[in-house]
Amino acid sequence: MKAVIMAGGKGTRLRPLTCHLPKPMVPLIGRPCMAYIVELLQKHGIRDIAVTMQYKPEVIRDYFGDGQAFGVNMHYFEETSPLGTAGSVKNAHEFLDDTFIVISGDSLTDFDLSEAIAFHKKKQAQATLILTHVSHPLEYGVVMTNDKSQIVRFLEKPSWGEVFSDTVNTGIYILEPETLERVPLNQAFDFSQHLFPALLQDNQGLYGYVSSGYWSDIGNLQQYRQTQFDMLDGKVQIHIAGTQIKPGVYIAEGVETSLSAHIVGPAYIGTGTTLEDDVEIGEYCIIGQNNRVSKGSKLTRSVLWDHNHIAEHNELTGSTLTSRIVCKEASNLGDGSVIGNHVVIGAKSHIQPNVKIWPYKQLRDKTSLHTSYIWGDNASKSLFKAQGVSGIPNLDLTPELVAKFATAYGATVAPHQTLTVSSSPHAFARLLRRTLTASLQSVGTHVIDLGDAFAPAASFAIRHLGTVGGIHIDFSGKENGVCCLSCIDAAGLPIPKSTERKVENSFVQEDYARVSMAQIGNYSEQFHWFQTYINALAQEIAAERDTQTHQPLRVIVEASPWLQPIIFPYFEKLGLEAIHVTTTSTQEPFQRFLPLSGANFGLRLHDDGKSMQLVTEKGDVVDGDLQTVFLYLCYLHSRPGTTIGAPVSAPHLLESIAEGLGATIVRTKEGSRAVLEATHETSMHPLFDALFAIGLVILHLDRTGVPLSELLSLFPSFHLHREQIDCPWDYKGQVMRSMMERTKDTRVELLDGMKFYHDTGWVLLLPDADDPVFQVVAQSTDLDQAQTLVHAYREHILNVLQ
């Protein structure tokens, strides 16, 4: 006995599930639909199988191969143009030399085929249609038989007024090869429209066999989901790969489940999937292979294919997700939503019920999607963000993306020139560093590997080596941390926006070429530069300390263990006693430990080497804006008469401090490049080089001999209040225009965003470059007044959005 599986369907009504898959390959509980059909045929002793294909035939052929792994022999027949159901089977007529069965590859059934075949042979039929009873026959061919089981009437897809039975054609036929003589070769011809009416008219042995088993035609998205729910409920006799840990709950091998995760069931969890803390898997959830469902997420009646990442605190209700989807934190997917392959859903997004998203789309954070997203370019942010190219490790920022980025970067910025690469010491950052190196070399860029470092040290090395720039990778390794690629120019500054645009264009258009083998870039290692930077900085600060009276100082440093062997020689060279602590090295919290230790001050040094947080000798954490003012004061005392850049959002107290010391403050855009470009006489800045800033603090404590807490208390009172206000991307321009119109009588500065000056203070309205929000900052001599200013502008924004 031979069989023909019809597997040419496009599955238009199943899109976006079938954008990259033929309909028979859509998975049902972890396996393609067609795999269950092959298993059914093999179970009934049918092992020689022809497969008729048209749409994406390679997907079917790649999965099943010659069929040996499934205990059958597969033969493939590919159509170049649609031939209809009968025409496609005719295409395989040379293979069909005896009674054969025709079955659809995109339905699920457990019919007893052996009984149906026996019926066919007993009746000596030319064609037997396997029939079943359904409650809603409108989508099928309705069939009527006489008491001899001969078909006497049928109607394809009737209206309710035409329905004469609930017995329908399942699309499974047992045929004699002679029936194909009525089917023209290489012409569109259909069983229900052409062949069966002809057999009925000529009274040529057309029979119907009513089967009592399960049958589901997966014709739409609702039926696709319901079929899998039926499988979990045991309504169809098929094998589900996995261990049934309780009624209706199947767990495959290699599943990692937190003790606090809760599976209600019925449910299926596929191989390699991870369920983190407090995850709730509600009823009728099907989760395929290698998915990660993160802390606090809740899924109900949802289907996930393979390799998806559901971030923390997502809620999926009745959703269907295909493969390699990233759903960022705190998003909500409504009932009936369907998400195509490789989609990225931004954090705190809301997908309304029944919305469909086609593959490769990217939604910005806080998107609210009310209609299906099919056409158009990605709604993604640009490749470069405020701090460089950044994202979640191995989700947004993958080795594949970094390889493509480095290729575009090297070809655009440094063809046949030299760049440095460096990274924090985390394993993933080092992996990306190796990826950067190979990709840069492939376009002829020479690479100097600086090894483990932080960004200020990398900038120092670039300036001294004379390279055209470098790429530094920052990643702390903390859970939910972001990995960032910082791109640095020859002056040690972040690259300008014009260069970013050139690189991004090259990246998007893939407008770059590899070089010949003779032109591959050179590679060398110079791992000493981090220590060289530490030594040079310590020498500079120590030399200035020697010119003034100073007392021994003690400092408590909270920093990552990897930094300890690097930074403690720095403090030794400055003549300081440094005590290193981590969050686990002392029983007392950091702030409480400080006064007990007798230290002059404490600091938390961040892994990026750019920023830190000061703590007074009393254990009080210094406010961020007050710390900014203090660091500028230290800098200006060490470099009298100098000019230094300050971001537009920094406190206005800076100007009066600078004026008193004969120095100049130049207000700039928020970005570090603008601030550094405005800073004269030095390549370092206290806001972007933590060790340099610490040195300035030490010099000022020496200079004054006054405890840190008292120095901070000397500043005039000022208050800054900051809020972040959500605003959809498409409304930002409208908000800015409206604000200008509403405040036309108010003094305004347009250096970066809009800065409005009032009698009680100023307000900065800054549209965020990375997120759909406005940053609103206000300064006043009174905290209540600063808050009042922010709230007034927040109301303006919300009124525009209404």
Side-chain angles (χ1 to χ4, degrees):
M1 190 77 177
K2 294 181 179 179
V4 179
I5 297 178
M6 293 186 293
K10 290 185 177 181
T12 304
R13 289 183 296 167
L14 287 180
R15 290 183 178 173
L17 305 187
T18 52
C19 287
H20 296 94
L21 283 179
K23 188 179 175 186
M25 295 302 290
V26 170
L28 301 175
I29 305 196
R31 289 195 292 162
C33 178
M34 185 172 149
Y36 294 98
I37 298 301
V38 171
E39 192 173 81
L40 178 69
L41 293 170
Q42 196 265 353
K43 174 183 176 182
H44 289 278
I46 303 169
R47 292 180 174 81
D48 289 319
I49 301 173
V51 184
T52 64
M53 310 179 296
Q54 187 202 0
Y55 177 64
K56 298 193 177 295
E58 70 282 355
V59 177
I60 297 172
R61 188 180 286 111
D62 290 347
Y63 184 86
F64 290 100
D66 61 7
Q68 294 300 307
F70 300 86
V72 297
N73 301 310
M74 304 284 269
H75 307 268
Y76 299 100
F77 297 88
E78 189 173 336
E79 304 168 37
T80 56
S81 61
L83 296 176
T85 54
S88 66
V89 175
K90 177 71 173 186
N91 199 35
H93 70 282
E94 294 181 355
F95 172 75
L96 303 169
D97 52 8
D98 200 352
T99 305
F100 62 94
I101 186 168
V102 176
I103 190 167
S104 173
D106 52 28
S107 61
L108 183 69
T109 182
D110 60 4
F111 286 162
D112 190 331
L113 301 182
S114 298
E115 283 191 3
I117 294 166
F119 170 91
H120 174 83
K121 291 181 177 179
K122 179 181 178 181
K123 296 294 185 180
Q124 296 183 334
Q126 284 293 299
T128 296
L129 282 63
I130 298 183
L131 312 174
T132 194
H133 300 298
V134 297
S135 57
H136 296 280
L138 300 187
E139 293 298 317
Y140 310 106
V142 179
V143 179
M144 180 180 290
T145 60
N146 60 20
D147 56 1
K148 296 180 181 179
S149 298
Q150 292 174 312
I151 293 175
V152 295
R153 186 180 179 192
F154 64 83
L155 182 63
E156 191 69 15
K157 297 185 179 179
S159 65
W160 275 116
E162 297 172 310
V163 169
F164 51 80
S165 173
D166 67 349
T167 305
V168 300
N169 173 16
T170 64
I172 306 173
Y173 316 126
I174 304 166
L175 305 173
E176 296 302 315
E178 293 79 17
T179 58
L180 293 182
E181 294 174 4
R182 292 174 174 262
V183 181
L185 189 63
N186 296 324
Q187 292 184 33
F189 205 80
D190 196 77
F191 283 122
S192 297
Q193 298 287 342
H194 305 109
L195 180 60
F196 296 153
L199 292 174
L200 179 62
Q201 182 177 349
D202 296 345
N203 196 23
Q204 291 294 310
L206 185 63
Y207 285 81
Y209 172 79
V210 180
S211 177
S212 59
Y214 179 90
W215 174 77
S216 175
D217 173 41
I218 304 168
N220 56 52
L221 291 163
Q222 181 180 357
Q223 191 60 41
Y224 170 71
R225 288 159 40 78
Q226 186 59 50
T227 299
Q228 295 179 85
F229 300 165
D230 291 345
M231 295 167 75
L232 290 176
D233 282 337
K235 293 181 180 180
V236 53
Q237 300 303 308
I238 46 89
H239 171 67
I240 296 178
T243 302
Q244 190 171 191
I245 61 171
K246 63 182 181 179
V249 176
Y250 298 85
I251 305 293
E253 294 182 358
V255 172
E256 295 183 11
T257 305
S258 166
L259 293 175
S260 61
H262 180 52
I263 303 174
V264 175
Y268 171 81
I269 314 296
T271 302
T273 285
T274 299
L275 306 180
E276 294 186 357
D277 294 345
D278 302 319
V279 164
E280 184 173 317
I281 305 299
E283 63 176 8
Y284 296 109
C285 286
I286 294 93
I287 303 177
Q289 297 183 17
N290 301 312
N291 293 285
R292 176 174 289 274
V293 184
S294 300
K295 182 178 180 180
S297 289
K298 297 180 180 180
L299 281 65
T300 303
R301 302 181 75 88
S302 294
V303 178
L304 279 66
W305 289 8
D306 303 331
H307 303 285
N308 297 300
H309 181 89
I310 310 301
E312 294 185 355
H313 303 295
N314 273 266
E315 187 166 341
L316 280 63
T317 304
S319 302
T320 302
L321 280 64
T322 56
S323 296
R324 300 190 182 279
I325 292 162
V326 176
C327 190
K328 297 186 179 179
E329 64 272 8
S331 291
N332 185 291
L333 278 63
D335 187 28
S337 57
V338 185
I339 317 298
N341 290 351
H342 295 275
V343 166
V344 177
I345 298 174
K348 300 181 181 178
S349 292
H350 189 88
I351 311 302
Q352 296 287 347
N354 300 311
V355 165
K356 301 176 183 65
I357 304 177
W358 257 237
Y360 292 97
K361 298 296 185 281
Q362 298 192 34
L363 305 185
R364 300 177 188 269
D365 293 349
K366 301 178 182 177
T367 294
S368 182
L369 197 61
H370 300 267
T371 59
S372 292
Y373 187 9
I374 302 173
W375 309 111
D377 296 331
N378 290 354
S380 63
K381 292 170 277 190
S382 62
L383 179 66
F384 284 90
K385 300 180 183 179
Q387 302 301 321
V389 179
S390 61
I392 300 171
N394 245 7
L395 286 174
D396 302 323
L397 208 61
T398 63
E400 297 94 325
L401 183 141
V402 169
K404 181 180 176 183
F405 166 75
T407 305
Y409 193 87
T412 304
V413 174
H416 308 294
Q417 298 184 78
T418 303
L419 291 173
T420 67
V421 295
S422 53
S423 73
S424 58
H426 190 274
F428 185 75
R430 289 170 172 169
L431 181 153
L432 293 189
R433 192 171 86 216
R434 295 191 295 271
T435 303
L436 281 174
T437 298
S439 300
L440 289 170
Q441 288 181 272
S442 74
V443 291
T445 300
H446 308 303
V447 176
I448 297 175
D449 189 343
L450 304 179
D452 297 340
F454 48 45
S459 295
F460 175 87
I462 289 166
R463 292 191 296 269
H464 286 77
L465 286 167
T467 65
V468 296
I471 302 175
H472 176 75
I473 305 163
D474 262 327
F475 180 48
S476 66
K478 295 178 181 177
E479 187 177 359
N480 300 324
V482 170
C483 188
C484 180
L485 274 63
S486 300
C487 300
I488 306 168
D489 69 7
L493 306 180
I495 60 172
K497 294 295 182 183
S498 58
T499 303
E500 287 184 0
R501 285 192 290 270
K502 289 178 182 178
V503 173
E504 186 153 353
N505 288 338
S506 178
F507 177 88
V508 172
Q509 299 168 12
E510 300 188 10
D511 184 19
Y512 45 80
R514 304 290 199 276
V515 297
S516 67
M517 291 300 97
Q519 296 177 307
I520 292 291
N522 298 326
Y523 172 79
S524 62
E525 295 177 350
Q526 296 191 26
F527 292 170
H528 65 86
W529 279 103
F530 196 2
Q531 191 61 58
T532 301
Y533 154 79
I534 295 289
N535 293 341
L537 184 58
Q539 185 174 353
E540 179 180 343
I541 300 297
E544 190 168 345
R545 281 200 91 194
D546 290 342
T547 65
Q548 58 191 37
T549 304
H550 62 270
Q551 299 177 352
L553 296 176
R554 175 182 293 174
V555 59
I556 308 298
V557 183
E558 185 178 274
S560 294
W562 76 273
L563 284 171
Q564 183 175 2
I566 302 294
I567 61 174
F568 275 80
Y570 172 70
F571 290 111
E572 289 178 2
K573 292 178 187 298
L574 297 182
L576 268 71
E577 179 188 355
I579 301 173
H580 177 81
V581 299
T582 64
T583 54
T584 58
S585 65
T586 176
Q587 294 180 350
E588 294 286 348
F590 184 57
Q591 291 96 311
R592 290 176 58 186
F593 176 68
L594 238 162
L596 300 175
S597 68
N600 299 91
F601 68 99
L603 63 94
R604 289 190 173 101
L605 182 61
H606 301 151
D607 283 355
D608 61 4
K610 299 178 183 179
S611 57
M612 56 93 178
Q613 183 180 61
L614 287 173
V615 183
T616 71
E617 78 283 358
K618 296 180 178 180
D620 298 323
V621 176
V622 180
D623 171 76
D625 293 311
L626 182 58
Q627 177 174 299
T628 295
V629 172
F630 181 63
L631 291 179
Y632 272 86
L633 175 71
C634 296
Y635 181 92
L636 295 175
H637 269 290
S638 290
R639 288 159 175 75
T642 191
T643 297
I644 184 172
V648 67
S649 64
H652 272 213
L653 184 58
L654 297 181
E655 275 78 3
S656 58
I657 293 173
E659 183 179 359
L661 294 171
T664 302
I665 297 291
V666 177
R667 290 288 174 168
T668 72
K669 293 180 180 295
E670 289 292 290
S672 58
R673 179 181 177 87
V675 177
L676 289 165
E677 282 183 316
T679 301
H680 297 175
E681 301 174 7
T682 180
S683 55
M684 293 180 287
H685 193 287
L687 296 188
F688 309 113
D689 190 327
L691 292 186
F692 175 60
I694 293 165
L696 296 175
V697 170
I698 293 166
L699 291 172
H700 197 62
L701 291 176
D702 283 342
R703 187 181 298 118
T704 62
V706 177
L708 177 59
S709 61
E710 292 185 24
L711 288 173
L712 296 174
S713 69
L714 298 175
F715 287 112
S717 176
F718 69 93
H719 296 276
L720 269 76
H721 182 65
R722 290 176 166 83
E723 285 192 18
Q724 181 174 284
I725 300 172
D726 292 346
C727 176
W729 291 99
D730 295 340
Y731 285 86
K732 283 188 175 182
Q734 183 179 338
V735 167
M736 298 290 276
R737 173 172 54 80
S738 176
M739 297 302 290
M740 286 295 292
E741 293 172 353
R742 292 189 182 196
T743 56
K744 57 185 177 182
D745 296 327
T746 304
R747 178 191 163 201
V748 61
E749 180 182 279
L750 302 177
L751 177 60
D752 197 4
M754 296 177 176
K755 196 170 190 177
F756 302 96
Y757 289 87
H758 299 270
D759 292 340
T760 56
W762 54 261
V763 178
L764 174 65
L765 189 65
L766 197 64
D768 196 284
D770 294 338
D771 296 304
V773 298
F774 276 96
Q775 307 293 344
V776 183
V777 185
Q779 179 182 319
S780 180
T781 55
D782 180 82
L783 179 58
D784 289 340
Q785 288 181 340
Q787 292 175 339
T788 299
L789 285 170
V790 168
H791 293 165
Y793 278 80
R794 180 181 63 191
E795 290 303 313
H796 284 324
I797 294 173
L798 295 179
N799 288 336
V800 174
L801 295 180
Q802 291 176 353

